[in-house]
Amino acid sequence: KRSRAKIYKRIVSKIDNIKEEWLAKREGKQCIIDIWHNFVEEMSENTFIHRKGATPANKGIVIIPGSRGSYSYIVEPIKENIKNSGYSLPHGAGRAMNRTKALWKAKEKFPDSHSLIKTELASYVICENKDLLYEEAPLAYKDMDCVVQDMLDLKVIRIIAVMKPILTYKFR
């Protein structure tokens, strides 16, 4: 949690034209959603859930982040049905290919790495590592809309909001 707060402050402090106004608006406000996705949770005595790439569905409102090329969703788990999902929801769509394959495929499709700095959603990517820019290209991920639709079909979530990425910051 502290790492995410530091990253947030570091990014906002680098965006000079909104820095003061944005930080002033955030002063004294609490984080509303802080979701982790790699941990073990004790459900009851001798019953544990190990989540890797999944987030709890039994803790209230959840954000399901998209890649830099897809929308993110704020969802509310449907309490009556969360047992059907193992009390968990996906933390994103997941990778469609490993980093090596993504690097090769993205370089083939986008020979000029600068073409990956602005996404099809008109958002921007800050990334100084050219290989990482390719490895994390939107084509490396599964279709987020399909993942969300599956959860809707299973009646384990209600969509509260859909968010478009504006800026993605990647570093290794």
Side-chain angles (χ1 to χ4, degrees):
K1 185 172 183 172
R2 289 184 193 138
S3 295
R4 289 189 295 272
K6 283 183 180 180
I7 291 168
Y8 160 78
K9 286 181 180 176
R10 189 178 301 153
I11 290 171
V12 171
S13 73
K14 299 294 181 191
I15 305 173
D16 290 330
N17 59 335
I18 66 164
K19 178 173 53 177
E20 297 304 322
E21 180 183 344
W22 182 265
L23 289 174
K25 285 181 183 178
R26 294 294 309 148
E27 191 65 37
K29 294 193 178 168
Q30 289 183 305
C31 177
I32 297 170
I33 302 174
D34 187 13
I35 304 294
W36 52 99
H37 58 278
N38 294 322
F39 68 102
V40 175
E41 178 181 7
E42 186 172 7
M43 299 299 288
S44 61
E45 189 176 330
N46 297 322
T47 304
F48 298 85
I49 294 179
H50 176 233
R51 293 187 178 96
K52 175 82 173 131
T55 194
N58 57 340
K59 304 287 185 201
I61 293 173
V62 172
I63 184 166
I64 302 175
S67 72
R68 69 185 192 224
S70 64
Y71 294 97
S72 294
Y73 294 82
I74 295 178
V75 302
E76 179 181 25
I78 298 173
K79 290 180 184 174
E80 305 81 49
N81 300 332
I82 61 172
K83 187 176 182 180
N84 298 336
S85 67
Y87 301 95
S88 301
L89 295 173
H91 178 76
R95 294 188 73 88
M97 59 187 79
N98 67 34
R99 291 181 179 279
T100 303
K101 186 173 182 179
L103 177 66
W104 175 75
K105 287 265 192 190
K107 279 186 173 182
E108 187 177 78
K109 186 171 180 177
F110 307 100
D112 177 12
S113 65
H114 286 83
S115 65
L116 292 171
I117 291 174
K118 186 173 182 181
T119 72
E120 290 180 11
L121 297 175
S123 67
Y124 291 92
V125 181
I126 297 172
C127 183
E128 294 175 1
N129 183 318
K130 191 188 304 186
D131 283 352
L132 183 59
L133 189 63
Y134 284 119
E135 291 169 9
E136 293 287 318
L139 63 80
Y141 289 89
K142 296 174 188 167
D143 185 330
M144 176 58 106
D145 295 329
C146 289
V147 171
V148 170
Q149 188 59 54
D150 286 347
M151 289 185 289
L152 289 168
D153 293 346
L154 291 169
K155 296 179 178 30
V156 295
I157 62 164
R158 284 184 200 89
I159 295 174
I160 295 173
V162 180
M163 300 179 298
K164 183 181 110 173
I166 297 169
L167 179 70
T168 304
Y169 180 69
K170 293 280 184 187
F171 72 100
R172 200 181 311 244

